[in-house]
Amino acid sequence: MRRRTVLASLTAGIGSLAGCSTTLGGTTETPTTTPTEQPTESPTPTSNDPSENEEWELGAASIIDLTTANRTYALAPLRYRSDDGASIRMRFSSTATSEGPATVEATLTNENPFENTFRLDWTPPFGRLFSDIPHPMGERSGDFTYRVGLIFAPTANHDLVEDPPDIQRADDGYWRLASDTTPELPERVRLSPGETIHGEYALVGRAEGVGRGRPPGVYEFSRAGERPLRVAVWPTDSPGPATDSQFAGMSVPALPGDSDTAWFHNADASSPTFVRPSTEQTSLPARIEFTFINRAREAEGCGHWNVYKLQGGEWFHLGPYVQDAVCHRLSPGHAETWALRAATSEMAPCEAQSYPFLGGGRYAAVAGYGHATAQSGALVEIDAPPVTVVPTDDVTTQRDSGTVTATSDRWRTAPDSEGRSRVSLVLEPVGNANRRLIAEQVMRRRYRGYRNTLAFVASDVERVVLRTDDRTADWTVGYDDGTAQFLYEEQAYRITKRTP
């Protein structure tokens, strides 16, 4: 076996990590749930150059089903680049059987145009062999200890290893280190331009973890300040949620649009993807986290999130009203958490999506990911008083017979350097309209044109004139139309944009 000449110490490159803390982080096919002896999505390379094989590409995952236990492993990312110009690629080369452990093949290539020395101690799997304490998928912590962590144990088929550690299959059926001896790898290696080192690893558990099994969760091999290498673990025959929803069996109307929705309350143990809410019932104010979990065999996308309220048998979109153009994809074994802050009144800005002025009722958070559906969602019941439409604090009014004229600061400060101009919105009752609005929509910041007119509606008011700016007016009636008609509390209205 060829060995590399290495720099620096050949003493243990990785020490015991007992004190390590955790870090965070379409067409689909039905997943194979029967354990196989060969890894899923990790075919044998057709070339000696891994870059010619799609299985190594960024965004994918290498997946195996163990034959020795009811567990699936998903390894990702399959490649990354270190700060010193090393390209690291890896994937499963075999699954665990009664004859041997799951193995991972990896390469490290010098992509610099010059000879370079590479630090391996924070370059998994050539360094950082021990995982952090695992955590549940989509969460930052759990009831785990370092003893249940995973280890990249180098085998004899490794360019940098002379004496690989002994491994054995323990009484609990999982392959582990035979002792608590730390595997040894050099801390540094020097490579010529384009030169590659190869390594094979047995992905095993700690010796002291016997009897603790292999808890489902995420096992991360952290690189300081960078995206971690991770192995996600879940039961092969039951990737779905482990607990029932309080809305189980409930039928809800379809969401707006042509896409089907996979609901959390309809998911079962066989569901490979789902949105899990941190709570299904809460009072306000509250922070609610919704986590999309991907235990399918393919990356899922696109990942935009939306919030809706169910009222009168109809879903009403509350936001976000602007989505970026990036189509996010989520690798197998990964999760994405979206946080929603909700309150009955105004809220301070925050990194999480903020939804002030919410009333009691049933809401849904919907992610643009799904297995066999375009999107997935979860329900939450909010206990809160009804929303009252009130004007923004900057509005002043005057009354002339049946007309109320409201003036906002956006009128007072226009025109300005941003090119805003003064316009008016005129609200009047009409006979009918097809579009319906609810109070939670009216009170959204984007819809302040509705808010600052509807707030002054009364039985003796014939029309409301809001003096504002063109941006507010365009958000209200649209950029191409000068008028819009809508229903609010069973009364139809027309709102018209007029220039002074």
Side-chain angles (χ1 to χ4, degrees), residues 433-451:
N434 295 323
R435 178 191 179 201
R436 190 153 72 102
L437 295 178
I438 61 173
E440 284 81 2
Q441 291 175 311
V442 171
M443 292 297 288
R444 296 290 289 162
R445 180 177 180 273
R446 182 180 181 88
Y447 282 173
R448 58 179 171 263
Y450 292 115
R451 175 180 177 179

Side-chain angles (χ1 to χ4, degrees), residues 181-380:
T181 302
T182 300
E184 294 185 358
L185 277 178
E187 294 178 353
R188 292 174 174 82
V189 64
R190 190 167 184 84
L191 300 176
S192 301
E195 187 175 6
T196 297
I197 54 174
H198 298 77
E200 181 185 71
Y201 302 85
L203 187 60
V204 297
R206 290 177 177 266
E208 57 267 58
V210 174
R212 299 176 182 268
R214 188 62 34 78
V218 179
Y219 297 71
E220 294 183 340
F221 298 80
S222 299
R223 308 191 306 274
E226 298 182 26
R227 178 185 179 189
L229 174 65
R230 55 170 59 185
V231 177
V233 177
W234 65 83
T236 303
D237 63 4
S238 53
T243 58
D244 292 333
S245 165
Q246 72 176 51
F247 302 109
M250 178 176 295
S251 178
V252 295
L255 290 162
D258 299 327
S259 299
D260 291 333
T261 305
W263 293 103
F264 175 70
H265 65 272
N266 292 331
D268 58 25
S270 66
S271 302
T273 64
F274 53 93
V275 171
R276 182 181 62 199
S278 59
T279 182
E280 291 188 307
Q281 187 167 7
T282 187
S283 57
L284 299 184
R287 176 188 171 97
I288 311 166
E289 293 186 347
F290 298 89
T291 302
F292 177 83
I293 294 175
N294 182 17
R295 291 174 177 166
R297 302 301 169 117
E298 296 179 354
E300 304 290 353
C302 197
H304 297 137
W305 290 82
N306 286 281
V307 178
Y308 298 85
K309 182 178 183 181
L310 181 61
Q311 186 164 307
E314 182 181 356
W315 288 106
F316 294 88
H317 184 233
L318 300 183
Y321 291 111
V322 178
Q323 303 279 13
D324 61 50
V326 178
C327 186
H328 302 280
R329 296 188 64 80
L330 202 66
S331 299
H334 281 56
E336 180 180 285
T337 296
W338 187 82
L340 181 151
R341 292 169 67 242
T344 59
S345 58
E346 196 61 80
M347 305 172 69
C350 178
E351 290 184 0
Q353 285 285 333
S354 297
Y355 285 79
F357 304 107
L358 295 190
R362 190 159 296 156
Y363 294 80
V366 180
Y369 301 106
H371 180 75
T373 61
Q375 57 192 22
S376 304
L379 303 176
V380 60

